[in-house]
Amino acid sequence: MDQTHRHSTTLGADIRALRRTRGLTLQQMADALGRSVGWLSQVERDKSDPGIDDLRAIASVLDVSISTLFSNAPSPAHETGRIVRSEARRAIGPGEEGLREELLSPDLTDDFEMVHSTFLPGASLPAPVQRPTQEVGYVISGKLDIEIGGHLFHLEPGDSFRIKGEPFRWMNPYETPAIAVWVIAPPVY
């Protein structure tokens, strides 16, 4: 039996995981949304489907793009939570210009997330960012420069890196896109 399974069955779990990662209680998030704890609890348990305005508010409180809360395509029920097809990856991330990020993990409920990042030619993160995470990346193609803790590194295909709560920034001053896979713990998107 090949039933499709809409992303909405993992939407609640993703919202719960993001809320917990940000250290918010149900009450704190419900207050920030102007909603009841019961309503938010039902959303997190997939008992209630939030409207688009609610999703915008949830994304704002969680400091993620609204696209983070959507998948691109439904998947067969037996694949949900296990398999992510290339055409069904969710766009994630804050949306810096010149960076496209897609979630490779089935959802955000694990202790880590896996992200496919494409850094367009000439793109850069203008200022260093620092997150309370551990991150490991692997460059698949292209070249990428990354500054970690004030040290600049030039990466090529096959190179990998680790960031442990240090300030970092990336730049692609080259003529071709750079593609990398990142593992981030705990999930931030």
Side-chain angles (χ1 to χ4, degrees), residues 30-41:
D31 289 347
L33 294 169
R35 293 296 214 138
S36 71
V37 170
W39 176 84
L40 182 56
S41 177

Side-chain angles (χ1 to χ4, degrees), residues 16-136:
R16 181 183 317 107
L18 287 166
R19 175 181 59 78
R20 288 178 175 168
T21 297
R22 281 141 178 81
L24 295 171
T25 65
L26 270 170
Q27 185 67 59
Q28 290 169 324
M29 186 156 162
D31 289 347
L33 294 169
R35 293 296 214 138
S36 71
V37 170
W39 176 84
L40 182 56
S41 177
Q42 286 186 340
V43 168
E44 287 189 357
R45 291 180 292 127
D46 295 312
K47 302 288 184 192
S48 178
D49 290 325
I52 190 68
D53 289 337
D54 291 320
L55 287 173
R56 282 190 187 104
I58 289 168
S60 177
V61 168
L62 296 173
D63 194 28
V64 297
S65 67
I66 194 165
S67 65
T68 299
L69 303 176
F70 293 100
S71 82
N72 291 336
S75 60
H78 69 283
E79 289 186 359
T80 300
R82 295 183 180 104
I83 306 295
V84 178
R85 301 290 178 184
S86 61
E87 68 277 1
R89 293 182 193 152
R90 280 192 281 170
I92 60 168
E96 286 103 354
E97 189 170 325
L99 173 62
R100 291 191 311 254
E101 294 179 292
E102 298 174 316
L103 187 64
L104 296 175
S105 303
D107 53 40
L108 298 171
T109 62
D110 293 315
D111 294 332
F112 64 91
E113 66 183 315
M114 196 166 175
V115 178
H116 181 277
S117 301
T118 302
F119 304 87
L120 299 179
S124 67
L125 186 60
V129 297
Q130 187 168 0
R131 305 190 281 219
T133 57
Q134 290 190 41
E135 307 183 30
V136 177

Side-chain angles (χ1 to χ4, degrees), residues 160-174:
S160 58
F161 57 90
R162 178 175 66 188
I163 304 165
K164 292 177 86 173
E166 301 172 273
F168 73 94
R169 68 186 211 106
W170 52 264
M171 57 231 75
N172 180 2
Y174 308 104

